[in-house]
Amino acid sequence: MDRLDTDVIIAGGGLAGATLALALSRVLPSLKVTVVEAFPLSTDALPEDYQPSYDARSTALAWGSRLIFEELGLWDRLSEHATPIRRIHVSDRGRFGATRLSAEDHGQPALGYVADNRWMGLSLMRELQATAVQWKAPAEVLGMTPQPYGVSVAVKTGDKVAQMSAQCLVVADGGRSGLRESLGFQARHEDYGQNALIANVSTSDSHQFTAFERFTDAGPMALLPGGAPDRPGNQSALVWTLTDQALQALIKLDSECRCQRLQDRFGWRLGRFTRMGELSHYPLKLTTVAEPVRPGVALVGNAAHTLHPVAGQGFNLALRGLMTLVEQFRSAIQQGRSLGDLGVLGGYQQAHHQDWQQTVRFSDSLIRIFGQAPAPLAAARDAGLVGLDLLPGAKRWFARRAMGIGGRKPLISGQGAFAEGESAGNE
Ligand SMILES: Cc1cc2nc3c(=O)[nH]c(=O)nc-3n(C[C@H](O)[C@H](O)[C@H](O)COP(=O)(O)OP(=O)(O)OC[C@H]3O[C@@H](n4cnc5c(N)ncnc54)[C@H](O)[C@@H]3O)c2cc1C
């Protein structure tokens, strides 16, 4: 085929798809990139008009993710509404163990940040407007057929279905990925039998930029600092793991009783819970795909892995995967290979595999050992937290996981550079 419609088609313009499009436009500006997104583009409220909303959902970004966004030239904008996490306090309700991580101990201004998802989306859209990335929205990717030149992708816009030719398709259509299933990828789902309840809460004491992870016999919870980046506020984002039954019972309560229930589980480290905003909830599953690549197609973001949100690792892992994929594309171009070549996409899988496995294991074991632990694991729970606090090596390992620091080299020289051992300091 002489001329392709585009080089890369990204199915899904959520956080993963939009960030990949931005990374490709920054690192490989000569590539033609098309994002197909099922929902209309949100151009109604541009960042200049943005007002943080009390009820917006937020994401904990690890320090390593800040470095990636710096590399992509997005951090200055994102940081306007990203609350720093200066300390992490991990505790176990009714038990002895607790551990504390502090940015100061690592010689850094923050261990990570809490950013409003809507703000991240708007910032990405604004940045992408100034690139050559093409958007088809609202439109849907229906399927893909391998071709000698790459792939032919069926795109539905309104009532019309058209075929688009490209070197490769990247599937970023989220955790309920219909494309993953229809393209025949084998996903493994493990149901945690619980739900994540999300709400913003106000407390009588300021969070002092501390994130709390608390493990209780009924499941883990996290409270992430929210509000203005430059002064410690009284608003935190709650992620609370609950069984179906406990969730339904909580939903029926009025706001005051919900705060009381939360107080009982969390304790008084933030003073009194005075308000709980709008509730949203998600069933919790661990979904992983053993082989995220096929000739002409790669899975990224939640389509490739959906983790328990309490450990705050899903998007951070996705970001590192996206940069790995971009790096493989860059090598392929240098070697004159097609981007959809299985050797190229297999290189992405191989390079990302260890990080992927370790992060999935870290977040899953955090939930299994410290979550609803049966009696035999109780001792391991105590030993785990006490051990983390006492053993510098273990604590440093835990901190590096939480900060999302790996051995990545920057793809854009002079931007957000970091390497193994550089940022974490010595503990
Ligand atoms: C409650 C909760 C809290 C979380 N907290 C954290 C955290 O603190 N830190 C962290 O790192 N991660 C966190 N995560 C994970 C993080 O939210 C996800 O990793 C991230 O949103 C994944 O984005 P995505 O782009 O892969 O998927 P999505 O955001 O689901 O985007 C998929 C997009 O694809 C589009 N789409 C679907 N099908 C098609 C199609 N056929 N054609 C075209 N478009 C299509 C959809 O419209 C959507 O826009 C959390 C997740 C949950 C559920």
Side-chain angles (χ1 to χ4, degrees), residues 10-18 35-39 57-62 65 113-114 117 136 139-143 171-179 196-198 224 239 280-284 300-318:
I10 302 173
L15 286 180
V35 181
V36 182
E37 166 54 45
F39 280 91
R57 220 190 89 187
S58 46
T59 293
L61 295 174
S65 297
Y113 296 84
V114 183
N117 286 13
K136 285 187 181 293
E140 219 178 314
V141 170
L142 297 183
V171 174
D173 64 346
R176 292 189 203 123
S177 174
L179 285 169
L197 175 111
I198 310 295
L224 307 171
V239 185
S280 50
H281 51 90
Y282 307 81
L284 289 174
V300 297
N302 269 18
H305 46 70
T306 308
L307 313 185
H308 195 302
V310 159
Q313 298 280 321
F315 182 60
N316 293 300
L317 173 64

Side-chain angles (χ1 to χ4, degrees), residues 110-427:
L111 293 164
Y113 296 84
V114 183
D116 173 344
N117 286 13
R118 199 170 134 261
W119 173 244
M120 287 203 284
L122 285 173
S123 302
L124 278 161
M125 287 309 136
R126 173 37 71 97
E127 213 64 35
L128 280 162
Q129 276 181 349
T131 69
V133 170
Q134 301 257 324
W135 279 81
K136 285 187 181 293
E140 219 178 314
V141 170
L142 297 183
M144 179 284 286
T145 321
Q147 299 291 345
Y149 57 78
V151 291
S152 173
V153 175
V155 177
K156 185 174 178 220
T157 313
D159 295 336
K160 288 199 183 124
V161 178
Q163 295 292 326
M164 279 189 84
S165 57
Q167 294 189 50
C168 98
L169 169 70
V170 179
V171 174
D173 64 346
R176 292 189 203 123
S177 174
L179 285 169
R180 178 182 63 211
E181 311 303 334
S182 68
L183 295 174
F185 285 92
Q186 296 292 318
R188 213 174 117 218
H189 306 280
E190 284 179 59
D191 201 334
Y192 287 109
Q194 290 187 317
N195 304 277
L197 175 111
I198 310 295
N200 287 329
V201 295
S202 300
T203 53
S204 59
D205 292 357
S206 150
H207 52 57
Q208 299 295 334
F209 300 113
T210 302
F212 294 89
E213 297 227 7
R214 185 144 173 84
F215 298 98
T216 80
D217 49 5
M221 58 169 56
L223 274 156
L224 307 171
D230 50 354
R231 70 192 128 79
N234 294 60
Q235 186 185 318
S236 294
L238 168 71
V239 185
W240 188 359
T241 311
L242 294 163
T243 60
D244 285 342
Q245 208 183 1
L247 176 70
Q248 291 315 321
L250 194 86
I251 287 171
K252 287 190 191 126
L253 299 177
D254 62 23
S255 174
E256 200 178 321
C257 294
R258 285 175 190 163
C259 286
Q260 188 55 51
R261 216 32 92 80
L262 177 58
Q263 196 87 59
D264 292 343
R265 303 313 296 177
F266 179 78
W268 293 85
R269 284 195 173 86
L270 282 168
R272 180 177 294 283
F273 288 98
T274 55
R275 179 180 169 198
M276 192 181 294
E278 210 173 88
L279 307 183
S280 50
H281 51 90
Y282 307 81
L284 289 174
K285 277 189 200 146
L286 169 65
T287 300
T288 48
V289 179
E291 299 274 332
V293 299
R294 291 275 170 80
V297 54
L299 306 182
V300 297
N302 269 18
H305 46 70
T306 308
L307 313 185
H308 195 302
V310 159
Q313 298 280 321
F315 182 60
N316 293 300
L317 173 64
L319 257 185
R320 300 194 293 272
L322 299 177
M323 298 307 279
T324 305
L325 182 61
V326 174
E327 199 170 351
Q328 294 301 315
F329 282 170
R330 187 172 66 175
S331 305
I333 291 168
Q334 283 162 356
Q335 294 161 14
R337 297 167 82 182
S338 165
L339 304 184
D341 187 310
L342 188 57
V344 173
L345 298 176
Y348 149 68
Q349 178 185 351
Q350 228 176 358
H352 188 44
H353 186 72
Q354 195 184 5
D355 185 9
W356 174 328
Q357 286 234 311
Q358 286 180 349
T359 308
V360 168
R361 221 178 293 136
F362 169 72
S363 109
D364 188 50
S365 55
L366 212 59
I367 305 314
R368 291 193 194 283
I369 297 177
F370 294 108
Q372 288 177 300
L377 285 178
R381 266 161 81 148
D382 284 347
L385 285 182
V386 174
L388 272 179
D389 225 28
L390 295 183
L391 294 173
K395 195 169 166 187
R396 185 164 181 268
W397 175 85
F398 186 86
R400 291 178 70 78
R401 283 274 121 214
M403 286 190 280
I405 293 175
R408 265 199 70 248
K409 295 243 165 20
L411 293 178
I412 303 172
S413 57
Q415 303 286 329
F418 68 105
E420 191 76 45
E422 244 175 41
S423 310
N426 297 315
E427 197 174 322

